[in-house]
Amino acid sequence: MLVWLNGRFLPARDARVSALDRGLLHGDGAYDTWRTYGGLPFAVAAHLRRLGDAARILGLPPPGPAAAWERRSRLLVARNRLADAAVRLTITRGTAGDALAPDRRVRPTLLLVARRLPANLGRRQARGVSAVALPFPRDAGPPWGGIKLVGHVSAVVGRRIAARRGTDEALYVTPAGEVTEGITSNVFLVERGALVTPPRASGILPGVTRAIVIEIARRSGIAVREEPVTLSRLRRAREVFLTASTVEVLPVVRIDGRRVGEGRPGELTRKLQAAFSALVSAVLGDAGPAH
């Protein structure tokens, strides 16, 4: 597997980052992940805007123009013989001392990696997945919840809990009983034909796919409400689905072992899946999703 590190394509086993890199020592960095279809990256500009916002908050240099990262993404997936892949760009402050405050300005570390998407993604999208509620919120709360920080232990712990319970995703729950988002996804529910999703003010990550789905829904005449969602309310919903660049629109058919609605993807979820697929195909042409 090849990676792109600080301007060079290298075998992953040969890529080296300093032991004093602040991303390793302090989680002093941010990242973003986008999707490729048939080797072509999708919505990179939106992801780079979000990463640029994170860089400004952390006082890091901006990642640079989206066109450059689109080109590098295409080259990276081509050299790794990937077509449909997840591409992650990580930026850290680099080697600027091990104290909390950096002692000098240095060149940041930039790392681009690609990985295969799960082989069963299409089946999961068609049949739906299960989720488990976590007894804790995301550790990067407001104002940090809106950016993808390099270090967030709640995601690691949450993913391990989900795996132990045989579920596909875990949902963060605040002490007040509100569901905010999934570990790597935003969450939606359907109530009386309208979409409901937790608001950005709750400290969620402003997902790129979340924004696209909201726009698709509103253009289709579907009402969308951004408001707090309790766990009990989510469990009562007729339809629940997740959104993320790597999974698109993913139905949830069970939460904590309880069936959601009729226990299969709902009509509105399927409609949004089809609309999202059509949008990607329109943007990228024949390289768009076939499912």
Side-chain angles (χ1 to χ4, degrees), residues 57-171:
I57 291 172
L58 296 177
L60 298 172
W69 293 109
E70 288 177 356
R71 182 175 66 255
R72 291 164 186 152
S73 297
R74 289 195 300 270
L75 287 171
L76 182 63
V77 297
R79 293 187 181 191
N80 282 301
R81 298 182 180 180
L82 300 174
D84 295 348
V87 178
R88 168 174 163 156
L89 171 58
T90 302
I91 176 172
T92 79
R93 198 175 305 277
T95 55
D98 65 350
L100 285 176
D103 59 21
R104 59 190 179 278
R105 290 181 63 88
V106 295
R107 183 177 179 180
T109 297
L110 292 167
L111 173 65
L112 193 69
V113 300
R115 59 178 166 83
R116 297 182 187 278
L117 294 174
N120 65 347
L121 177 58
R123 179 173 59 83
R124 293 166 65 204
Q125 290 171 324
R127 299 182 181 179
V129 299
S130 58
V132 60
L134 296 173
F136 52 80
R138 184 181 175 195
D139 56 346
W144 313 112
I147 60 178
K148 288 194 169 188
L149 297 171
V150 167
H152 49 115
V153 69
S154 62
V156 176
V157 174
R159 181 63 75 205
R160 294 184 66 198
I161 291 174
R164 285 201 302 268
R165 298 187 184 178
T167 60
D168 302 272
E169 178 62 300
L171 307 173

Side-chain angles (χ1 to χ4, degrees), residues 15-245:
R16 298 289 184 267
V17 174
S18 169
L20 297 180
D21 190 285
R22 292 178 60 83
L24 171 65
L25 296 175
H26 298 301
D28 189 3
Y31 72 97
D32 220 298
T33 304
W34 53 85
R35 169 82 187 264
T36 64
Y37 295 88
L40 298 179
F42 177 70
V44 176
H47 287 280
L48 264 291
R49 284 194 295 271
R50 185 170 64 184
L51 184 55
D53 290 342
R56 283 192 293 274
I57 291 172
L58 296 177
L60 298 172
W69 293 109
E70 288 177 356
R71 182 175 66 255
R72 291 164 186 152
S73 297
R74 289 195 300 270
L75 287 171
L76 182 63
V77 297
R79 293 187 181 191
N80 282 301
R81 298 182 180 180
L82 300 174
D84 295 348
V87 178
R88 168 174 163 156
L89 171 58
T90 302
I91 176 172
T92 79
R93 198 175 305 277
T95 55
D98 65 350
L100 285 176
D103 59 21
R104 59 190 179 278
R105 290 181 63 88
V106 295
R107 183 177 179 180
T109 297
L110 292 167
L111 173 65
L112 193 69
V113 300
R115 59 178 166 83
R116 297 182 187 278
L117 294 174
N120 65 347
L121 177 58
R123 179 173 59 83
R124 293 166 65 204
Q125 290 171 324
R127 299 182 181 179
V129 299
S130 58
V132 60
L134 296 173
F136 52 80
R138 184 181 175 195
D139 56 346
W144 313 112
I147 60 178
K148 288 194 169 188
L149 297 171
V150 167
H152 49 115
V153 69
S154 62
V156 176
V157 174
R159 181 63 75 205
R160 294 184 66 198
I161 291 174
R164 285 201 302 268
R165 298 187 184 178
T167 60
D168 302 272
E169 178 62 300
L171 307 173
Y172 293 126
V173 181
T174 70
E178 292 181 4
V179 176
T180 54
E181 58 194 323
I183 294 175
T184 57
S185 61
N186 292 111
V187 61
F188 288 79
L189 63 140
V190 178
E191 287 183 342
R192 295 183 293 277
L195 292 186
V196 180
T197 187
R200 290 185 58 174
S202 63
I204 65 168
L205 185 76
V208 171
T209 305
R210 173 185 183 272
I212 292 173
V213 167
I214 288 174
E215 182 178 1
I216 288 173
R218 286 175 172 161
R219 286 185 176 180
S220 302
I222 301 168
V224 181
R225 302 198 305 272
E226 297 182 59
E227 58 191 37
V229 175
T230 62
L231 180 58
S232 60
R233 182 181 180 185
L234 190 71
R235 288 171 172 163
R236 293 194 303 268
R238 299 300 300 170
E239 299 180 44
V240 175
F241 63 86
L242 308 172
T243 61
S245 296

